[in-house]
């Protein structure tokens, strides 16, 4: 949920210079069609600009870093696709644009793509399947099961992690992704009616069939993590984590470190808040699900603005943007943490992947950590119904 773009005058300026120089341009181009930009930017398309060259800005902002989630190698910053169906934060330009944006992400060095059957539902997986079908062996795709979603109507009637349902869902995921395997399969939310051992055994069977390579859990209880890992080693835990929501630091991250499990951050930019592009005066579009989060009320956003100011101050200090500071802060916490910011705009994508160039010295990181810790965040991150689905412990077998 942020902007940037530019034309370089010298390669010595670096990628962040390109991004910083174009903040104003991006702010005025929020409806630019990613398909058009991506076609010009993508070396796979063969397209070039008026001078017969690939767009210099896009070419310059290429991600090169990698990290490991357990034994799984991924780009240091991934791409979340939850917003691409256009029913989460408001409509998108077009499906064609989203397919092009995913492919551009790959062209710029992103190899880790996150989706789920629930996103759309189903549409996010279809977008990834179409965009990545010709480069399938060069990317890591993560998806999720765990909901009872009608395959015809898309109606979601709650949680369902029964073994027979998991198998059915996985077959549907494979079809939509146009692939024969899922690199990383998460249980989207813990089902309080199904023992996690039954879930792990089912995934183990799917691994034996070659349909799944790695697995993980999203927003689980601590005991459930230990029990699941004992049956079938987990590759990753996926939870919300950013300077705006630091809950995992208390218990989840230490447990991941103890067990050798990677950590994937969704909403690493606080659903747009830490980028500085939404504030107490923002009026969300009709249907924007952020309105359900108490922390996005006008009063709570006003109370939380000191965090935005802190990130803006550090952005000036480091020659970056607030979004890049937040992402770089996450990367600096642990070498096995991977953020997956979701975006529907090329300018945001380029800004996000440029964050890997932001570095903090040990003293700077200590200073920034202390400053973040001093800020009290007001308002829950999710609605009461959403919070009730987090930190759940599976029943005993």
């Amino acid at each position: 949920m942020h902007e940037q773009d530019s034309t370089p005058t010298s390669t010595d300026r670096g990628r962040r210079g390109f991004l910083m120089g174009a903040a104003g341009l991006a702010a005025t181009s929020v409806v630019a069609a990613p398909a058009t930009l991506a076609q010009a930017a993508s070396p796979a398309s063969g397209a070039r600009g008026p001078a017969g060259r690939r767009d210099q800005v896009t070419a310059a902002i290429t991600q090169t870093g990698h990290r490991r989630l357990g034994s799984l190698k991924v780009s240091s910053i991934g791409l979340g696709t939850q917003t691409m169906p256009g029913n989460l934060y408001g409509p998108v330009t077009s499906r064609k644009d989203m397919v092009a944006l995913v492919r551009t992400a790959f062209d710029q060095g992103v190899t880790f793509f996150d989706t789920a059957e629930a996103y759309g539902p189903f549409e996010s997986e279809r977008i990834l399947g179409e965009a990545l079908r010709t480069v399938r062996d060069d990317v890591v795709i993560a998806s999720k099961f765990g909901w009872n979603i009608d395959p015809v109507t898309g109606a979601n009637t709650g949680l369902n992690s029964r073994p027979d349902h998991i198998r059915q869902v996985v077959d549907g995921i494979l079809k939509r992704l146009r692939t024969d395997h899922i690199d990383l399969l998460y249980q989207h939310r813990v089902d309080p009616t199904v023992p996690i051992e039954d879930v792990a055994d089912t995934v183990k069977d799917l691994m034996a069939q070659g349909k799944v390579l790695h697995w993980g859990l999203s927003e689980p209880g601590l005991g459930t993590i230990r029990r699941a890992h004992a049956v079938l080693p987990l590759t990753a835990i996926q939870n919300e984590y950013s300077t705006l929501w630091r809950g995992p630091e208390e218990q989840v991250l230490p447990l991941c470190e103890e067990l050798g499990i990677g950590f994937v951050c969704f909403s690493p930019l606080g659903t747009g808040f830490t980028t500085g592009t939404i504030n107490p005066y923002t009026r969300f579009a009709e249907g924007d699900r952020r309105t359900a989060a108490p922390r996005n009320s006008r009063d709570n956003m006003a109370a939380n603005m000191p965090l935005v100011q802190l990130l803006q101050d550090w952005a000036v200090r480091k020659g970056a943007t607030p979004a890049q500071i937040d992402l770089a802060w996450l990367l600096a916490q642990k070498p096995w943490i991977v953020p997956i910011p979701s975006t529907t705009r090329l300018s945001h994508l380029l800004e996000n992947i440029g964050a890997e160039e932001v570095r903090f010295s040990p003293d700077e990181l200590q200073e920034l950590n202390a400053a973040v810790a001093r800020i009290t965040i007001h308002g829950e991150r999710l609605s009461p119904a959403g919070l009730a689905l987090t930190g759940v412990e599976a029943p005993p077998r």
Side-chain angles (χ1 to χ4, degrees), residues 20 310-322 325:
M20 287 299 297
L310 174 66
L311 295 174
Q312 289 175 342
D313 291 345
W314 274 86
V316 172
R317 179 172 170 176
K318 300 296 288 184
T321 69
I325 295 298

Side-chain angles (χ1 to χ4, degrees), residues 210-266:
K211 294 181 178 181
V212 174
L213 304 186
H214 301 264
W215 86 301
L217 303 174
S218 183
E219 296 276 4
L222 298 173
T224 297
I225 294 175
R226 288 190 180 277
R227 290 164 53 198
H229 191 69
V231 177
L232 182 64
L234 292 159
T235 291
I237 298 298
Q238 183 178 132
N239 282 21
E240 181 173 353
Y241 186 35
S242 70
T243 53
L244 185 64
W245 169 247
R246 298 172 57 201
E249 293 177 352
E250 184 175 352
Q251 293 181 299
V252 176
L253 290 179
L255 181 57
C256 286
E257 188 160 35
E258 174 192 338
L259 299 178
I261 302 171
F263 188 87
V264 176
C265 319
F266 72 80

Side-chain angles (χ1 to χ4, degrees), residues 4-62:
Q4 249 120 27
D5 205 2
S6 177
T7 300
T9 58
S10 167
T11 54
D12 293 337
R13 291 176 58 189
R15 300 174 195 164
R16 295 200 306 279
F18 300 146
L19 292 170
M20 287 299 297
L25 173 61
T28 63
S29 61
V30 295
V31 294
T36 302
L37 295 171
Q39 185 179 20
S42 171
S45 69
R48 294 294 185 271
R53 297 174 299 171
R54 184 182 174 199
D55 178 83
Q56 293 181 26
V57 178
T58 310
I61 306 167
T62 302

Side-chain angles (χ1 to χ4, degrees), residues 32-36 38 79 81 83-87 90-104 115 119-133 175-178 343-345:
T36 302
L79 177 63
T81 62
T83 57
M84 289 187 176
N87 60 352
V92 297
T93 49
S94 73
R95 185 181 188 279
K96 180 180 178 182
D97 289 343
M98 298 303 99
V99 170
L101 185 63
V102 170
R103 185 51 190 257
T104 299
T115 184
Y119 300 164
F122 310 132
E123 179 63 9
S124 171
E125 291 174 330
R126 295 189 183 105
I127 289 169
L128 278 186
E130 181 175 345
L132 300 176
R133 67 186 187 279
K175 182 177 181 179
R176 291 186 292 273
L177 290 177
R178 305 188 188 189
T343 186
T344 61
R345 300 174 187 172

Side-chain angles (χ1 to χ4, degrees), residues 16 243 310-311 313-320 325 328-330 332-333 357-374:
R16 295 200 306 279
T243 53
L310 174 66
L311 295 174
D313 291 345
W314 274 86
V316 172
R317 179 172 170 176
K318 300 296 288 184
I325 295 298
W329 177 84
L330 283 168
Q333 299 307 306
E357 288 203 348
V358 179
R359 298 286 190 272
F360 302 111
S361 70
D363 288 344
E364 286 178 328
L365 184 59
Q366 183 178 11
E367 179 186 350
L368 180 54
N369 281 340
V372 170
R374 286 193 295 270

